[in-house]
Amino acid sequence: MGYQQIVEEAKPSTSVVVQESPSRLRTWLSNKNLQYDFVMSIILVTLNVAAIIYMIQHKIPFTACIITLVYCTGLYFSFGLFSCLFWFQAITDVEASNLYMTGRIGHICGLGILLHLLYSISPRVALWFGLPSSLWVVAAFIAPLYTMCLASAFKKVSEDTRAYWKFINEPQVRVANV
């Protein structure tokens, strides 16, 4: 082996590193709001269908107000359709994923339908199911409400508080009379 061959073997090979970013579809599918909308829609549709089948099998009449039931059903389907359209638009336009509130409003309408059906079955069942589900409603709207409305207000308050404590913690000038 000659000196030239050893030097050529010792040279590091140049390699190209390609940095891959995740695909839009993968980013879209990993969105927690989309997963929440999808799972909650499946749960609500399943519970509503089960309540309707139970009412048909046991010949239970609708005792709830039919007008509000039809109104909630119409809103549920329209908000669900708009939610699907916004999510499909969000595949190409990431900013459209911020419109997930339509799905949450649709879920509230679906919950209203379910509570109407449960009230027709038994007012106690509606109460037993309605109280815990009202906690879900509050929890489902805290994060979007914070990000849409309250984040800027809390940021301003925290900046003011930080400035106040910075002023308070500054060393004070003391004059000593001798």
Side-chain angles (χ1 to χ4, degrees), residues 11-19:
K11 287 184 183 178
S13 62
T14 59
S15 61
V16 177
V17 177
V18 178
Q19 190 172 13

Side-chain angles (χ1 to χ4, degrees), residues 25 47 67 117 172 177:
L25 188 60
L47 289 174
I67 295 170
L117 295 173
Q172 296 180 359
N177 291 332

Side-chain angles (χ1 to χ4, degrees), residues 14-171:
T14 59
S15 61
V16 177
V17 177
V18 178
Q19 190 172 13
E20 292 185 26
S21 62
S23 68
R24 288 182 180 171
L25 188 60
R26 185 176 191 155
T27 305
W28 180 72
L29 289 174
S30 65
N31 190 328
K32 297 297 179 193
N33 291 315
L34 174 67
Q35 294 171 357
Y36 173 85
D37 278 350
F38 186 71
V39 170
M40 192 53 77
S41 295
I42 289 174
I43 290 170
L44 283 173
V45 168
T46 304
L47 289 174
N48 284 331
V49 169
I52 290 171
I53 290 173
Y54 181 84
M55 289 176 69
I56 290 171
Q57 287 178 347
H58 292 86
K59 296 181 174 75
I60 299 172
F62 288 104
T63 57
C65 184
I66 299 296
I67 295 170
T68 57
L69 186 63
V70 170
Y71 181 70
C72 283
T73 305
L75 284 176
Y76 181 59
F77 285 121
S78 62
F79 278 113
L81 179 67
F82 282 126
S83 179
C84 288
L85 292 175
F86 287 141
W87 281 115
F88 282 119
Q89 182 185 358
I91 294 174
T92 57
D93 182 19
V94 178
E95 296 297 321
S97 67
N98 293 335
L99 299 171
Y100 59 88
M101 284 299 289
T102 56
R104 302 253 171 125
I105 294 169
H107 295 149
I108 299 301
C109 295
L111 182 66
I113 294 168
L114 182 62
L115 290 176
H116 273 88
L117 295 173
L118 292 177
Y119 183 77
S120 296
I121 293 171
S122 168
R124 283 188 173 179
V125 173
L127 183 65
W128 290 338
F129 189 80
L131 287 177
S133 64
S134 66
L135 295 174
W136 162 75
V137 169
V138 170
F141 278 99
I142 285 176
L145 180 68
Y146 176 76
T147 57
M148 291 180 154
C149 304
L150 301 175
S152 61
F154 284 139
K155 185 177 180 182
K156 175 72 172 137
V157 169
S158 68
E159 288 173 358
D160 290 345
T161 307
R162 194 172 295 123
Y164 173 75
W165 282 109
K166 187 176 180 181
F167 171 74
I168 294 294
N169 291 328
E170 285 180 354

